[in-house]
Amino acid sequence: MSFDGLGLHPNLLKGIRDLGYTRPTPVQSEAIPQILTGRDVIASAQTGTGKTAAFVLPILHRLMIEGKKRGPRALIVAPTRELALQSMDHLKNLSRYVHLKGCAIFGGVPINAQTQALRQGVDIISATPGRLLDHVNQGHIQFGGLEIFVLDEADRMLDMGFLPDVKKIISYLPPRRQNLVFSATIPVEI
Ligand code: AMP
């Protein structure tokens, strides 16, 4: 199968071609069409399988075709700074021909640059839980317009004790939204 058959916007296909991806990985060809329908999806996928692009591409597509709205419209939550940055890197690389703004939020660095970026308005946030909650508690983020919520490496989040934070984050989100869970394993709690 090629990327052309997945139903993605031509501007995303151009970005994919620029990156040199020739065909979708198995998790991409299974998850992308499902996510594009707007359904909730739980996908079992290890790191290295192309799982990041499996959620980034359909998120970009859905936000693009619905036109400009008040953000943040998509939120990706991941257990580590590296993963939060990896999703933001994919977003930047794949959205070369798309006008959407992203912002990575993680701890261990001064908060001010992130606050500034949030004030200017963002469409997509890729974050670790603790710093995200700091911003929410300080009134820097309102989730009223949120459309898509992603939990990346959900089993690792569970192992690292992030479940209470994740529950708190979810309590701030609008009840009507698309939920995507990516996890190497799918324990019962997930
Ligand atoms: P991930 O599983 O998301 O950590 O991705 C692993 C690596 O595979 C990343 O370096 C991606 O840039 C790369 N990648 C993702 N999708 C594809 C694809 N369809 N073809 C080739 N490389 C890809």
Side-chain angles (χ1 to χ4, degrees):
M1 200 200 215
S2 76
F3 275 104
D4 295 348
L6 294 180
L8 292 167
H9 193 282
N11 286 11
L12 290 173
L13 295 178
K14 262 208 275 185
I16 290 168
R17 229 170 286 134
D18 283 3
L19 279 186
Y21 296 179
T22 50
R23 62 182 65 84
T25 66
V27 68
Q28 290 166 1
S29 42
E30 279 197 58
I32 290 172
Q34 298 291 334
I35 298 172
L36 288 177
T37 67
R39 284 190 195 123
D40 287 352
V41 170
I42 296 188
S44 166
Q46 314 275 344
T47 295
T49 56
K51 68 167 171 70
T52 316
F55 57 80
V56 164
L57 284 166
I59 288 176
L60 288 170
H61 176 98
R62 295 206 64 213
L63 299 190
M64 254 167 109
I65 56 159
E66 282 166 25
K68 203 88 194 117
K69 288 188 192 161
R70 197 180 162 76
R73 300 172 62 195
L75 170 66
I76 302 159
V77 177
T80 65
R81 163 200 177 123
E82 287 70 29
L83 279 168
L85 281 169
Q86 183 183 336
S87 293
M88 200 40 62
D89 272 355
H90 272 68
L91 276 163
K92 293 214 169 104
N93 291 333
L94 289 165
S95 64
R96 210 177 283 180
Y97 305 102
V98 181
H99 297 291
L100 290 167
K101 250 172 108 176
C103 172
I105 299 284
F106 47 81
V109 294
I111 199 165
N112 293 350
Q114 296 172 359
T115 308
Q116 197 67 28
L118 291 169
R119 283 221 181 95
Q120 286 168 5
V122 292
D123 300 292
I124 304 163
I125 292 176
S126 174
T128 52
R131 178 59 68 87
L132 180 69
L133 284 169
D134 290 344
H135 282 290
V136 173
N137 293 334
Q138 291 178 37
H140 302 157
I141 309 176
Q142 277 88 36
F143 286 119
L146 193 97
E147 298 165 50
I148 308 172
F149 172 59
V150 185
L151 267 186
D152 188 15
E153 305 221 348
D155 52 355
R156 260 176 90 193
M157 306 213 37
L158 214 62
D159 291 344
M160 290 167 75
F162 281 132
L163 190 60
D165 280 355
V166 170
K167 284 188 168 164
K168 204 172 289 164
I169 291 164
I170 290 174
S171 76
Y172 295 122
L173 307 182
R176 241 185 99 80
R177 59 176 195 266
Q178 182 178 24
N179 300 290
L180 309 175
V181 175
F182 282 76
S183 195
T185 59
I186 315 276
V188 197
E189 296 95 315
I190 287 176

